[in-house]
Amino acid sequence: MKHFPIFMALEGRRVVVSGGGEAALAKLRLLLKTEAKLVVVTEDAAPEIAQWAQDGRLTLIRRAMEPGDALCARLFYAANEDDAEDARVAELAHRDGALVNIVDNLEDSQFITPAMVDRDPVVVAIGTEGAAPVLARAIKKDIEERLSPRLGLMARMGKAFRARAEALPFGVKRREFWADYYAQGVASETDASSSLEALLDKHLTAKPKEGRVDLVGAGPGDPELLTLKARKALDEADVVIYDRLVAPEILELARREAVMLSAGKEGFGPSVTQDAINEMIVSHARSGAHVVRLKSGDPTVFGRLDEEIDACDASGIAWTIIPGITSASAAVAALGQSFTKRGRNSGVRFITGHDTKGFADHDWKTLASEGEVAAIYMGKKSARFIQGRLLMHGADPLTQVTVIENASRPEQRILATTLGELEPTLTHANLTGPALVFLGLAPRAALVAAQHHEMEAAI
């Protein structure tokens, strides 16, 4: 993000525009919606600008810009539609201490004006950092169609009612009141006023809401693989307790006011204990909060879900499981493969490389059989142990093995090897992200060719 979006206070502040043609008109139509003191400096003003000056909506100075014209200005627009003149007046404005925008010149501008959806006092700003103005306009059109024309009225009435709403306790109770208000439509100020009074009475007399827990799968990392139900839970959560492997892009989707707590679980390393996590979940839910326990992948697959459910049950707290796409599904898709294939295997095993006691033991003899397919979670640090167990039970050293690091994420990496070469392949690869090991699966030939081409290009 090269441009940080803010809403700047312009009430009573000077905003200066240099130029009197179409570019200046486009900016002025937007700026006239503010309460800024507008000044236009130009030798040749369009009729609309002259009329606005006559109506007292702005001050028009009919001459070329001079030093000092932008003094005390909060913003300055160079809109002369002439590169040399825009550069000249921008330099003068810089010296006067104003923030400068040169129309259609992103590189030399200190700020940019986004596309806007105006439901005053509700304003939605859309920016693409100058990369795709057409896209910004398309997004604006979509939002315009979604937002009620009466949204501004509702916001103004809500603002006037704020002092009355403070009769509700700060936090969840007050937030639920406002959510109920904005979820309904109003036809007039009278309608909005009576609606607010009735809603306040309803919320003041309502019984305290009980907390609840959503046990949510965050998927393998790609935010676009997050389910709609998981997205809704994040948008409503009061508290989000998340694992270390949950992608930052997914955490960004949580409601801004939500309390974000890291559970920090890490295999073979320092981590928050499961008992401490259970206590976090229960204590926040008891206080009436909507808690989202956010787990990487799918919480029902190696997510220690039962222990957290038991903790909720023991405390009489309602819970819901919201499944996610497990990392193995995203990883096998990256291979262009299917878990099962007619004539090869009719089943697949999901196993873990280690558990709370250390390296996990399995039915290695069956897994070593020809045609078996297994997705091995947490298999990176236990790779040598898995390799040794399988070879000891007669597995073919040439059995295809694929390792997928950071499945579904931009930094995803696929390593194709064999069981006999699993180690030292992993050691040499120096994997740093979460990885899945697939026994009996290899990337499709097209993927291997594409990766080989990428490697040659990099060289």
Side-chain angles (χ1 to χ4, degrees):
M1 186 188 297
K2 293 182 179 179
H3 295 83
F4 184 73
I6 61 171
F7 286 88
M8 182 177 288
L10 291 182
E11 182 181 6
R13 302 303 298 266
R14 291 186 85 225
V15 174
V16 178
V17 177
S18 174
E22 286 298 324
L25 280 169
K27 297 302 179 186
L28 286 167
R29 289 188 187 104
L30 190 60
L31 290 166
L32 283 167
K33 294 183 178 183
T34 73
E35 297 179 25
K37 291 184 177 180
L38 298 178
V39 177
V40 177
V41 184
T42 180
E43 293 179 290
D44 185 17
E48 293 97 324
I49 297 176
Q51 186 61 53
W52 288 331
Q54 186 175 330
D55 295 341
R57 301 183 68 186
L58 55 81
T59 298
L60 176 58
I61 302 175
R62 290 181 177 273
R63 58 167 169 76
M65 186 167 166
E66 299 175 356
D69 283 342
L71 281 173
C72 300
R74 179 149 283 189
L75 300 176
F76 175 84
Y77 286 90
N80 294 281
E81 302 174 59
D82 178 277
D83 291 345
E85 180 63 7
D86 280 340
R88 185 187 75 83
V89 300
E91 178 59 28
L92 293 176
H94 279 302
R95 292 176 188 173
D96 287 343
L99 280 174
V100 174
N101 172 274
I102 304 175
V103 176
D104 291 333
N105 184 341
L106 180 66
E107 293 301 319
D108 295 327
S109 294
Q110 291 178 296
F111 71 95
I112 56 178
T113 304
M116 295 185 191
V117 178
D118 184 9
R119 297 288 189 274
D120 186 32
V122 178
V123 179
V124 181
I126 305 136
T128 61
E129 299 199 333
V134 173
L135 176 60
R137 287 194 290 273
I139 295 170
K140 174 184 175 179
K141 181 177 180 293
D142 184 52
I143 295 175
E144 287 274 14
E145 292 171 353
R146 291 169 181 263
L147 295 184
S148 166
R150 295 187 178 89
L151 186 61
L153 167 64
M154 294 186 72
R156 288 192 296 273
M157 294 298 294
K159 182 179 180 181
F161 200 76
R162 274 193 172 281
R164 295 273 287 113
E166 288 177 4
L168 291 166
F170 179 79
V172 176
K173 288 276 288 182
R174 202 177 297 177
R175 188 167 61 249
E176 288 176 348
F177 164 76
W178 288 115
D180 283 353
Y181 169 62
Y182 286 113
Q184 61 187 11
V186 297
S188 65
E189 289 191 18
T190 302
D191 186 22
S193 180
S194 60
S195 175
L196 283 163
E197 290 291 352
L199 268 178
L200 181 60
D201 183 63
K202 176 184 174 182
H203 281 262
L204 284 171
T205 57
K207 292 181 180 179
K209 191 173 180 179
E210 294 184 356
R212 61 190 177 92
V213 175
D214 287 336
L215 302 152
V216 179
D222 183 351
E224 293 187 358
L225 294 179
L226 195 68
T227 67
L228 291 174
K229 199 167 186 178
R231 178 68 181 86
K232 182 180 178 182
L234 283 171
D235 194 49
E236 296 174 349
D238 300 307
V239 177
V240 178
I241 302 171
Y242 61 93
D243 282 344
R244 177 181 62 90
L245 294 179
V246 175
E249 296 86 353
I250 290 175
L251 296 179
E252 282 291 317
L253 298 175
R255 193 170 59 83
R256 288 296 171 202
E257 297 84 1
V259 176
M260 307 296 290
L261 301 173
S262 172
K265 293 180 71 65
E266 183 172 359
F268 293 106
S271 61
V272 180
T273 66
Q274 187 61 52
D275 286 343
I277 294 171
N278 293 347
E279 176 57 29
M280 273 196 285
I281 295 170
V282 169
S283 63
H284 284 286
R286 277 178 176 163
S287 71
H290 174 188
V291 178
V292 164
R293 173 67 175 108
L294 194 60
K295 296 170 176 282
S296 177
D298 179 34
T300 67
V301 180
F302 304 123
R304 301 186 73 170
L305 183 64
D306 288 320
E307 296 170 57
E308 294 173 7
I309 289 174
D310 289 343
C312 290
D313 284 342
S315 299
I317 294 168
W319 51 269
T320 303
I321 299 173
I322 299 178
I325 294 177
T326 187
S327 299
S329 293
V332 79
L335 301 183
Q337 279 279 17
S338 169
F339 274 129
T340 58
K341 182 180 180 182
R342 187 164 48 185
R344 183 192 67 195
N345 67 305
S346 58
V348 60
R349 294 173 182 247
F350 286 7
I351 65 175
T352 179
H354 62 81
D355 54 26
T356 55
K357 299 177 183 179
F359 294 136
D361 244 323
H362 300 284
D363 183 357
W364 301 112
K365 186 175 181 181
T366 300
L367 280 171
S369 302
E370 187 177 350
E372 284 293 316
V373 172
I376 306 172
Y377 289 70
M378 295 168 279
K380 186 169 62 176
K381 293 181 179 178
S382 53
R384 191 176 294 279
F385 170 80
I386 293 167
Q387 179 187 39
R389 283 291 189 272
L390 288 169
L391 292 174
M392 185 174 68
H393 284 83
D396 186 346
L398 297 179
T399 300
Q400 295 292 329
V401 173
T402 307
V403 182
I404 300 92
E405 180 188 28
N406 294 313
S408 86
R409 304 187 188 196
E411 62 272 27
Q412 173 180 283
R413 192 159 48 137
I414 299 173
L415 303 176
T417 184
T418 62
L419 179 61
E421 294 296 321
L422 180 57
E423 278 294 351
T425 298
L426 286 190
T427 297
H428 291 160
N430 192 30
L431 302 179
T432 58
L436 274 144
V437 178
F438 282 119
L439 176 69
L441 289 181
R444 287 194 182 274
L447 285 176
V448 174
Q451 289 168 352
H452 181 68
H453 178 73
E454 289 175 2
M455 290 177 64
E456 286 184 336
I459 295 172

